[in-house]
Amino acid sequence: MKLWLLDADIFIDFLSHDLLDKLVKSHEIHAASSVIDEVKFFKRGVEKFPISFRANYIQTGLIKERSATADDASCLLSRLPQNSAFTLHSGEIESLAILIRETNLVFCTCDAATIRTLPFLDLTERGISAEKLLKQSGLFKPGLQDRHTEEHFRNNLAIGQEQKIYQTKS
């Protein structure tokens, strides 16, 4: 059983596609505290559904909450280029800080900027696309959004690796 750390967009999208409940049955899922607070709604078709993510998943023990300290976040940010074009939100910063600290976790995100930071943090091998996670879990369904594909993930990793190379040459 793999230990997965998921980003807010992944939680929302998996809820929308009725995949999260299936995923938590077969894997140990983790979420950063700030990510938990971001998951308030999901859509199915055109209908928007409110969700008490903390009550439904954290308090029931289906998903484990993880937190990063200010020092963890500071350490993470110090490893990124000063003038980088990365736009990371609090949930992504906390998730990446947790990923650095907890080496048994694999991080699933579809956010391009977050994927591009992985090479700077030497975490390339500990990131995974939604498509690959779903395939490994036997839950893959055709028709994923582009941002969930392995191609999107790999393309953004390549951009991050290239940026890291140019950053170290400067």
Side-chain angles (χ1 to χ4, degrees), residues 96-116:
L96 288 167
I98 292 165
L99 190 65
I100 290 169
R101 186 185 68 220
E102 298 189 29
T103 59
N104 59 336
L105 295 175
V106 176
F107 185 46
C108 183
T109 184
C110 58
D111 181 79
T114 306
I115 296 166
R116 292 173 188 183

Side-chain angles (χ1 to χ4, degrees), residues 10-170:
I10 297 295
F11 281 122
I12 292 166
D13 294 342
F14 283 5
L15 283 163
S16 296
H17 294 287
D18 198 26
L19 293 168
L20 187 59
D21 289 332
K22 295 170 186 165
L23 192 67
V24 299
K25 287 179 183 174
S26 58
H27 295 286
E28 187 174 308
I29 307 295
H30 299 254
S33 296
S34 52
V35 165
I36 292 164
D37 296 333
E38 290 179 39
V39 183
K40 297 177 183 173
F41 296 94
F42 66 94
K43 284 184 174 182
R44 289 216 176 114
V46 295
E47 204 169 342
K48 190 174 180 180
F49 296 93
I51 185 163
S52 178
F53 193 77
R54 183 171 296 282
N56 292 357
Y57 291 95
I58 306 303
Q59 292 172 351
T60 59
L62 292 172
I63 294 175
K64 296 177 180 356
E65 182 173 7
R66 294 287 176 258
S67 298
T69 65
D71 286 342
D72 292 336
S74 179
C75 177
L76 159 75
L77 294 171
S78 72
R79 294 174 65 182
L80 298 177
Q82 293 284 346
N83 299 337
S84 71
F86 301 129
T87 306
L88 299 176
H89 300 105
S90 61
E92 295 150 350
I93 291 170
E94 185 176 28
S95 294
L96 288 167
I98 292 165
L99 190 65
I100 290 169
R101 186 185 68 220
E102 298 189 29
T103 59
N104 59 336
L105 295 175
V106 176
F107 185 46
C108 183
T109 184
C110 58
D111 181 79
T114 306
I115 296 166
R116 292 173 188 183
T117 64
L118 294 173
F120 284 92
L121 303 170
D122 297 321
L123 295 173
T124 301
E125 298 305 316
R126 294 196 29 235
I128 191 169
S129 69
E131 177 182 12
K132 190 171 182 179
L133 171 58
L134 293 172
K135 283 182 176 177
Q136 287 184 5
S137 303
L139 298 172
F140 178 75
K141 293 179 181 179
L144 291 175
Q145 295 176 21
D146 284 343
R147 67 189 190 142
H148 295 128
T149 65
E150 181 66 12
E151 181 180 6
H152 170 80
F153 193 85
R154 290 282 155 216
N155 287 344
N156 281 289
L157 268 182
I159 291 168
Q161 289 165 334
E162 186 176 301
Q163 289 172 336
K164 181 180 179 184
I165 290 166
Y166 288 123
Q167 200 70 24
T168 48
K169 288 183 177 181
S170 312

